[in-house]
Amino acid sequence: MIIKRRQKDKEEDRSKDIQKEREKRRRKMMRGKYGQAPLKHAKKGINSCCYAGSVFLILMVMLVFSYVSEGSVGVIAGFAGLAVAVLAWLGLMSGIRGFREREKNYITCKVGVVCNVLLLLGLMSIFFRGLF
């Protein structure tokens, strides 16, 4: 009688374990679309967004510095402007290369490319405005 009870308990434990495993699998399948795992962001796209953020931050610091010094900035600000343009270009290239990664979410690539293009256009307009 005790042996039968132990076997029954073991069978109940097994059935509970099986139900738990089924529930875990069901939860995993519900994460993504049609039971697929969710896509990760492209690494190059994340780098592109980081480039855009750092370029924007440096550009804002340069503009504040120029405003505080009433427009009399030295050669260092010019070199910083060139460095910002180079960083924006690197961010643009990184975003474009991010589209080549397979099985990834490309939203960071799109955001990085758009932000870096806008920053490059802004820097070019500042440069050409200063020439004329």
Side-chain angles (χ1 to χ4, degrees):
M1 204 169 225
I2 295 173
I3 295 173
K4 287 184 181 181
R5 194 175 291 161
R6 284 184 188 169
Q7 287 177 349
K8 212 177 211 184
D9 290 341
K10 285 182 182 180
E11 288 175 11
E12 288 175 6
D13 288 340
R14 267 192 233 132
S15 65
K16 286 180 183 178
D17 288 340
I18 291 171
Q19 286 176 347
K20 284 182 185 178
E21 287 297 320
R22 283 183 191 156
E23 188 66 26
K24 280 183 185 178
R25 268 190 258 129
R26 190 177 68 80
R27 281 191 206 134
K28 275 187 180 179
M29 291 181 75
M30 290 175 66
R31 276 190 205 160
K33 191 173 183 181
Y34 303 117
Q36 296 175 349
L39 297 176
K40 294 181 180 180
H41 291 286
K43 290 181 182 179
K44 298 281 186 178
I46 294 170
N47 289 344
S48 177
C49 289
C50 290
Y51 276 123
S54 62
V55 165
F56 183 74
L57 183 68
I58 294 170
L59 186 62
M60 287 298 115
V61 168
M62 284 175 38
L63 289 174
V64 168
F65 180 68
S66 177
Y67 180 75
V68 168
S69 66
E70 297 174 353
S72 61
V73 292
V75 177
I76 296 173
F79 284 125
L82 288 175
V84 166
V86 169
L87 285 175
W89 179 257
L90 289 174
L92 178 64
M93 290 297 109
S94 179
I96 291 171
R97 287 185 187 126
F99 287 115
R100 294 183 186 161
E101 295 181 27
R102 297 283 183 213
E103 306 279 329
K104 299 288 182 176
N105 188 356
Y106 299 116
I107 190 72
T108 53
C109 296
K110 294 173 187 175
V111 169
V113 166
V114 169
C115 290
N116 284 307
V117 164
L118 291 176
L119 287 167
L120 273 175
L121 289 176
L123 288 168
M124 287 172 47
S125 67
I126 290 171
F127 180 73
F128 289 127
R129 177 76 174 144
L131 289 179
F132 299 115

